[in-house]
């Protein structure tokens, strides 16, 4: 289940965000959480315990960095759309936002099918909503599609929703998509150019 704000952020603002992040954020290779350590990273944590994670290029190949300043204006942008989508569609009990992630996909960069949250965690809190903001002009890269698993159904089978239009809306520069963190999704390999995106998550009490 997801909600799309097509082309919500002006192209000029997207380009400014990219320049800011490239100047101020230190990239690291993204890791994959090992089984037995949970599927989420605690609020405020930007480095994962090496024993709980691994670099696994066949599963996830991308560079990421985090915006840790709570008063950063990028936070305000993404938090607004997370709240709006929740108010319009999801109506989940949300407690706080996790640090905003800036991601760079290039040279085959991808992230295979995964969930941002299993839905229930031993700590009593779990990621509930995820957000992706597409920052790059889609003409400047190939591949790199954010896709959602539909249980074998084609995108056009989702009721009155036109699947191909959804894919285009999500890919367009400045588009924001908010989705249930339990949904399986992936980013297909980037075959040409570089794809930049902003990702953020909200946390609330376990689903019951």
């Amino acid at each position: 289940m997801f909600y799309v704000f097509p082309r919500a952020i002006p192209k000029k603002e997207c380009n400014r965000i990219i320049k800011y992040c490239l100047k101020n954020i230190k990239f690291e290779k993204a890791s994959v959480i090992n089984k037995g350590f949970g599927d989420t990273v605690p609020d405020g944590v930007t480095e994962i315990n090496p024993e709980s994670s691994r670099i696994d290029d066949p599963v996830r190949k991308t560079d990421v960095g985090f915006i840790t300043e709570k008063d950063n204006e990028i936070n305000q942008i993404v938090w607004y759309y997370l709240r709006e989508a929740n108010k319009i569609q999801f109506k989940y009990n949300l407690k706080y936002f996790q640090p905003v992630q800036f991601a760079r996909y290039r040279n085959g960069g991808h992230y295979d099918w995964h969930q941002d949250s299993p839905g229930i965690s031993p700590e009593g809190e779990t990621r509930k909503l995820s957000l992706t903001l597409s920052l790059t002009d889609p003409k400047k890269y190939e591949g790199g599609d954010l896709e959602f698993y539909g249980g074998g159904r084609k995108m056009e089978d989702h009721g009155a929703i036109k699947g191909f239009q959804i894919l285009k809306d999500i890919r367009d520069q400045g588009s924001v998509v908010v989705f249930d963190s339990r949904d399986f999704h992936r980013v297909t390999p980037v075959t040409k150019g570089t794809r930049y995106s902003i990702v953020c998550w909200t946390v609330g009490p376990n689903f019951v």
Side-chain angles (χ1 to χ4, degrees), residues 20-177:
Y20 170 85
C21 290
L22 290 176
K23 181 179 179 180
N24 293 281
I25 290 179
K26 180 182 178 181
F27 281 114
E28 296 181 357
K29 289 196 69 172
S31 58
V32 177
I33 304 298
N34 289 329
K35 291 183 179 180
F37 286 87
D39 295 317
T40 62
V41 180
D43 184 38
V45 174
T46 58
E47 294 185 5
I48 301 172
N49 183 336
E51 294 182 358
S52 69
S53 64
R54 69 187 189 280
I55 302 299
D56 192 342
D57 284 352
V59 176
R60 187 183 190 188
K61 181 184 177 184
T62 184
D63 306 312
V64 299
F66 289 86
I67 297 172
T68 56
E69 307 88 1
K70 292 188 176 181
D71 60 349
N72 191 292
E73 63 179 318
I74 298 174
N75 293 341
Q76 304 307 317
I77 293 172
V78 297
W79 293 350
Y80 168 79
Y81 286 103
L82 277 164
R83 290 191 186 100
E84 282 298 295
N86 190 50
K87 181 171 63 177
I88 293 168
Q89 178 161 313
F90 301 95
K91 306 185 189 307
Y92 290 161
N93 180 5
L94 307 177
K95 293 184 66 176
Y96 59 89
F97 304 94
Q98 292 184 304
V100 172
Q101 176 184 279
F102 178 60
R104 176 176 65 187
Y105 291 83
R106 57 181 180 171
N107 302 325
H110 69 283
Y111 197 171
D112 207 354
W113 292 113
H114 68 284
Q115 296 169 290
D116 292 339
S117 168
I120 296 178
S121 72
E123 293 78 19
E125 294 181 341
T126 187
R127 284 178 178 168
K128 288 196 164 182
L129 291 178
S130 302
L131 173 147
T132 295
L133 163 58
S134 299
L135 292 173
T136 309
D137 184 337
K139 296 178 182 178
K140 293 185 177 181
Y141 68 98
E142 295 177 4
D145 286 315
L146 172 61
E147 297 181 342
F148 295 92
Y149 181 67
R153 296 180 299 174
K154 296 180 180 179
M155 288 293 292
E156 58 266 32
D157 291 339
H158 289 253
I161 297 174
K162 295 182 179 179
F164 293 111
Q165 183 61 45
I166 288 176
L167 289 174
K168 179 181 183 300
D169 287 343
I170 291 175
R171 188 177 175 86
D172 277 350
Q173 187 175 21
S175 287
V176 176
V177 56

